[in-house]
Amino acid sequence: MTEIPVEREPAIAAELFGPTIDKARAFTAALADQGEERGLIGPLELPRLWTRHILNSVIAAPLFQGSVADVGSGAGLPGIVLAIARPDVQWTLIEPMERRVTWLNEQVKELDLSNVAVVRARAEEVRPLAAFDVVTARAVSALRTLIPLTAPLVRDGGEITVLKGVNAANEISAAEKQIKKFRLSDVRVEVLGEGVIEETTRVIRAQVRAS
């Protein structure tokens, strides 16, 4: 059986992570080594692990501030990656599956990420004492399904900032009812990383108003 090679670290990675690049390398190496075995990523992701997953996540790092929740954190994409890049931000990783929660807690300990808390729960079960400044997610579900899970966790005036694929604009159109119901405004798609990373990242951003 031919071993699938892991993508070499792109040169831009060190620039995007800056002084935390060593933690990013350690996390990527752990994901490459254990990700398939633990059901976190598929084997076909290894040749594009940096490009499609790590850089795709870190390019959004400048968009976050304060306290952030990552809904359905899974393998730690984008939550662990963003927490590495932004140690000045407080991150709460929300994940219902025990084996993924175990992985996330291991990585938080191994990487000494003092700015991260891991919560085993479904998003709808989380009732924070103080709502988050930003709630994010990546590859969890369509926007129309994601809004009811994320918007209730955002403080009044805070943001939803979710990482999406090429159909991001169509997802906004399909979520008109939920956008109105949960009082989202300034809903737009931003394309990140043009001319910087090989595969650009599309982010849907929206402001949440409680009333």
Side-chain angles (χ1 to χ4, degrees):
M1 185 174 179
T2 304
E3 185 175 341
I4 299 175
V6 179
E7 180 182 18
R8 294 180 62 182
E9 178 188 323
I12 193 64
E15 183 177 333
L16 293 176
F17 281 98
T20 63
I21 183 60
D22 285 342
K23 289 187 178 183
R25 287 168 178 157
F27 174 66
T28 305
L31 196 54
D33 183 51
Q34 304 175 47
E36 181 187 359
E37 178 186 342
R38 298 177 68 165
L40 300 167
I41 58 171
L44 297 180
E45 301 307 309
L46 295 178
R48 53 193 183 184
L49 189 55
W50 277 99
T51 301
R52 170 164 282 196
H53 299 289
I54 307 301
L55 299 188
N56 175 269
S57 296
V58 75
I59 199 70
L63 303 182
F64 298 94
Q65 61 180 341
S67 62
V68 182
D70 176 26
V71 171
S73 198
L77 304 165
I80 293 288
V81 175
L82 292 171
I84 290 170
R86 292 295 305 277
D88 58 315
V89 173
Q90 294 300 311
W91 301 87
T92 298
L93 311 186
I94 301 170
E95 170 58 48
M97 292 187 64
E98 183 177 6
R99 61 183 172 82
R100 292 175 178 171
V101 168
T102 298
W103 160 262
L104 293 171
N105 278 318
E106 288 173 2
Q107 292 307 304
V108 168
K109 183 178 180 180
E110 288 290 327
L111 301 169
D112 191 24
L113 298 176
S114 59
N115 60 328
V116 178
V118 180
V119 176
R120 185 186 176 191
R122 300 174 67 86
E124 55 267 39
E125 297 168 345
V126 177
R127 294 293 179 266
L129 296 176
F132 296 98
D133 295 309
V134 188
V135 176
T136 191
R138 178 180 184 266
V140 173
S141 59
L143 184 65
R144 66 178 181 272
T145 305
L146 202 52
I147 289 173
L149 300 178
T150 55
L153 302 180
V154 182
R155 66 167 175 80
D156 184 21
E159 276 198 353
I160 289 173
T161 301
V162 294
L163 282 64
K164 284 291 181 180
V166 294
N167 292 319
N170 292 335
E171 288 197 36
I172 292 176
S173 299
E176 286 184 8
K177 183 185 295 185
Q178 291 78 13
I179 288 171
K180 184 177 181 180
K181 178 179 179 180
F182 288 91
R183 300 183 177 90
L184 304 190
S185 62
D186 193 20
V187 185
R188 75 271 191 196
V189 177
E190 295 184 8
V191 181
L192 310 177
E194 287 186 318
V196 177
I197 57 177
E198 187 176 322
E199 294 186 25
T200 57
T201 297
R202 286 169 174 78
V203 176
I204 296 178
R205 302 181 72 184
Q207 191 171 53
V208 180
R209 289 293 182 192
S211 59

